[in-house]
Amino acid sequence: MTDTPPTRCGVVAVLGAPNAGKSTLVNSLVGQKVAITSAKAQTTRARMLGIALHETDDAPTQMILVDTPGIFAPRRRLDRAMVSAAWEGAEAADAVLLLVDPIKQRRHELEPLLETLAERPERKILVLNKVDRAKKEPLLALAQELGGKVDFAEIFFVSALTGEGVGELKDHLARMMPEGDWMYPEDQVSDASERLLAAEITREQLYQQLHEELPYDSAVRPEKYELRKDGSVEIHQQIVVTRDNQRAIVLGKGGSKIKAIGEAARKELSEVLGVKVHLFLHVKVLENWAEDKELFEEIGLDWVR
């Protein structure tokens, strides 16, 4: 009887100020899209998990990447739920990765994060992103400064967008993972249910196409997700906004905007799911949706007082 080689499995929490590039990095480590990426801050709401597989010399490794919402000063209940989800994601981790955008830095959000991290027991790794765009000297000075505030086990310089340095980072993370059985099947890249992933993809399109006009007062609520006999998927979603004028913005002239959003989301969904997708969207005005416990749970967040 041959001994099966040992496997490694562990959790990596990805933390950072809003817009540092966390989702892009998670997607880059996994090798395909699992977390939505958007140029607008605070896009990730739920604890989106990506699952990265890596072969080190001694053991095939599975890394569960917890893509935490950007941590920022929470004002509304929605913000509090997002921050709470971020720290919960870090608690069970075998490694905590702090991703910093050296160009924007966002000091007011980075400093409290550094203070909290300094007190935490997990092994911490500093990753400076956007090396394809940042100047070398300020980058090294920033690495030295942040390394003086928190005891980082390692410092990496990467570009989540181009993939530069990501291979070395992935290799190092894999070696940090403890020996253990894999938590997920080999072909699974995310634990977000397909219903939730589908809603996230529509929400990303909502932001991409409406940039400034639609603040973060919108949510996409999964309503129906079913397989048709021909193998295609039928998805119904509700776009929730807080005011009538926002509804008009989402619909666009003669329904042109919601049609474009639906078309782009449907195309991406068929690529991600690998089947034909029929997507139906409608818009609902709910003035205080951010106070609705049921809706929170539907979009994958815990209700935080």
Short mmCIF file of all heavy atoms in Angstrom, two decimals, residues 1 4 45 61 111 139 165-166 168 175 191 195 224 237 243 253 278:
data_model
loop_
_atom_site.label_atom_id
_atom_site.label_comp_id
_atom_site.label_asym_id
_atom_site.label_seq_id
_atom_site.Cartn_x
_atom_site.Cartn_y
_atom_site.Cartn_z
N MET A 1 0.85 -1.21 0.00
CA MET A 1 0.00 0.00 0.00
C MET A 1 0.88 1.25 0.00
O MET A 1 1.76 1.39 0.85
CB MET A 1 -0.87 -0.01 1.26
CG MET A 1 -2.09 0.86 1.15
SD MET A 1 -3.12 0.65 2.63
CE MET A 1 -2.80 2.21 3.43
N THR A 4 -0.28 8.02 0.65
CA THR A 4 -0.63 9.18 -0.18
C THR A 4 0.20 10.36 0.35
O THR A 4 0.39 10.51 1.56
CB THR A 4 -2.14 9.52 -0.07
OG1 THR A 4 -2.48 9.56 1.30
CG2 THR A 4 -2.98 8.50 -0.79
N ARG A 45 -18.78 43.09 -0.45
CA ARG A 45 -19.59 43.15 0.76
C ARG A 45 -19.54 41.86 1.51
O ARG A 45 -19.33 41.82 2.71
CB ARG A 45 -21.04 43.47 0.39
CG ARG A 45 -21.22 44.94 0.10
CD ARG A 45 -22.66 45.26 -0.13
NE ARG A 45 -22.77 46.64 -0.58
CZ ARG A 45 -23.83 47.14 -1.18
NH1 ARG A 45 -24.87 46.37 -1.41
NH2 ARG A 45 -23.86 48.39 -1.53
N THR A 61 -1.19 22.00 -2.24
CA THR A 61 -1.75 22.90 -1.23
C THR A 61 -3.02 23.58 -1.71
O THR A 61 -3.11 24.00 -2.86
CB THR A 61 -0.70 23.99 -0.87
OG1 THR A 61 0.49 23.33 -0.44
CG2 THR A 61 -1.19 24.90 0.23
N GLU A 111 -3.86 53.63 8.72
CA GLU A 111 -3.29 53.72 10.08
C GLU A 111 -4.04 52.89 11.13
O GLU A 111 -3.43 52.12 11.85
CB GLU A 111 -3.20 55.20 10.53
CG GLU A 111 -2.16 56.03 9.75
CD GLU A 111 -0.73 55.53 9.84
OE1 GLU A 111 -0.39 54.81 10.81
OE2 GLU A 111 0.06 55.83 8.92
N LEU A 139 8.64 53.55 -2.78
CA LEU A 139 8.09 52.23 -2.51
C LEU A 139 8.89 51.55 -1.40
O LEU A 139 8.34 51.01 -0.43
CB LEU A 139 8.14 51.40 -3.80
CG LEU A 139 7.31 50.12 -3.87
CD1 LEU A 139 5.83 50.45 -3.69
CD2 LEU A 139 7.52 49.42 -5.20
N GLY A 165 5.22 39.32 -9.68
CA GLY A 165 5.47 39.02 -8.26
C GLY A 165 4.43 38.13 -7.60
O GLY A 165 4.61 37.68 -6.47
N VAL A 166 3.30 37.87 -8.30
CA VAL A 166 2.20 37.10 -7.69
C VAL A 166 2.60 35.63 -7.51
O VAL A 166 2.26 35.00 -6.51
CB VAL A 166 0.89 37.24 -8.50
CG1 VAL A 166 -0.20 36.34 -7.94
CG2 VAL A 166 0.40 38.70 -8.47
N GLU A 168 5.59 34.35 -6.83
CA GLU A 168 6.44 34.20 -5.65
C GLU A 168 5.61 34.30 -4.37
O GLU A 168 5.82 33.56 -3.41
CB GLU A 168 7.54 35.28 -5.62
CG GLU A 168 8.58 35.17 -6.71
CD GLU A 168 8.18 35.89 -7.99
OE1 GLU A 168 6.96 36.08 -8.23
OE2 GLU A 168 9.09 36.25 -8.76
N ARG A 175 3.59 27.62 1.33
CA ARG A 175 4.51 27.00 2.29
C ARG A 175 4.14 27.32 3.74
O ARG A 175 4.57 26.65 4.67
CB ARG A 175 5.95 27.42 2.00
CG ARG A 175 6.49 26.82 0.71
CD ARG A 175 7.82 27.43 0.29
NE ARG A 175 8.07 27.15 -1.12
CZ ARG A 175 8.53 25.98 -1.58
NH1 ARG A 175 8.76 25.00 -0.75
NH2 ARG A 175 8.74 25.81 -2.87
N ASP A 191 -16.57 29.50 -2.62
CA ASP A 191 -17.66 28.89 -1.87
C ASP A 191 -18.91 29.76 -1.94
O ASP A 191 -19.92 29.45 -1.37
CB ASP A 191 -17.27 28.61 -0.42
CG ASP A 191 -17.65 29.74 0.50
OD1 ASP A 191 -17.60 30.89 0.05
OD2 ASP A 191 -18.00 29.49 1.66
N ARG A 195 -25.92 31.61 -6.75
CA ARG A 195 -26.94 32.68 -6.66
C ARG A 195 -26.30 34.01 -6.26
O ARG A 195 -26.59 35.06 -6.82
CB ARG A 195 -27.94 32.33 -5.55
CG ARG A 195 -29.11 31.51 -5.96
CD ARG A 195 -29.86 31.11 -4.71
NE ARG A 195 -30.65 32.21 -4.14
CZ ARG A 195 -31.94 32.41 -4.38
NH1 ARG A 195 -32.58 31.57 -5.16
NH2 ARG A 195 -32.58 33.40 -3.83
N LYS A 224 -34.60 34.36 -7.94
CA LYS A 224 -34.88 33.01 -8.43
C LYS A 224 -33.67 32.55 -9.23
O LYS A 224 -33.05 33.34 -9.95
CB LYS A 224 -36.11 33.07 -9.34
CG LYS A 224 -36.56 31.74 -9.91
CD LYS A 224 -37.86 31.96 -10.68
CE LYS A 224 -38.09 30.89 -11.73
NZ LYS A 224 -39.16 31.26 -12.64
N GLN A 237 -33.35 38.71 -10.73
CA GLN A 237 -32.75 39.53 -9.68
C GLN A 237 -33.48 40.85 -9.55
O GLN A 237 -34.00 41.40 -10.52
CB GLN A 237 -31.27 39.81 -10.00
CG GLN A 237 -30.39 38.59 -9.98
CD GLN A 237 -29.02 38.86 -10.58
OE1 GLN A 237 -28.81 39.85 -11.28
NE2 GLN A 237 -28.08 37.97 -10.31
N ARG A 243 -34.18 55.66 -3.83
CA ARG A 243 -35.04 56.77 -4.25
C ARG A 243 -35.56 56.58 -5.68
O ARG A 243 -34.94 55.90 -6.49
CB ARG A 243 -34.26 58.10 -4.18
CG ARG A 243 -33.85 58.49 -2.77
CD ARG A 243 -33.38 59.94 -2.70
NE ARG A 243 -32.23 60.20 -3.56
CZ ARG A 243 -30.98 59.94 -3.22
NH1 ARG A 243 -30.71 59.39 -2.05
NH2 ARG A 243 -29.97 60.21 -4.04
N LYS A 253 -33.07 55.80 -20.38
CA LYS A 253 -34.10 56.23 -21.33
C LYS A 253 -34.69 55.03 -22.06
O LYS A 253 -33.96 54.26 -22.71
CB LYS A 253 -33.47 57.21 -22.34
CG LYS A 253 -34.48 58.07 -23.04
CD LYS A 253 -33.82 59.15 -23.86
CE LYS A 253 -34.88 60.00 -24.55
NZ LYS A 253 -34.28 60.99 -25.45
N HIS A 278 -30.24 33.00 -18.86
CA HIS A 278 -31.35 33.92 -19.13
C HIS A 278 -31.49 34.78 -17.88
O HIS A 278 -31.81 34.28 -16.82
CB HIS A 278 -32.66 33.14 -19.36
CG HIS A 278 -32.50 32.02 -20.35
ND1 HIS A 278 -32.66 32.20 -21.71
CD2 HIS A 278 -32.16 30.71 -20.17
CE1 HIS A 278 -32.44 31.05 -22.33
NE2 HIS A 278 -32.14 30.13 -21.41
#
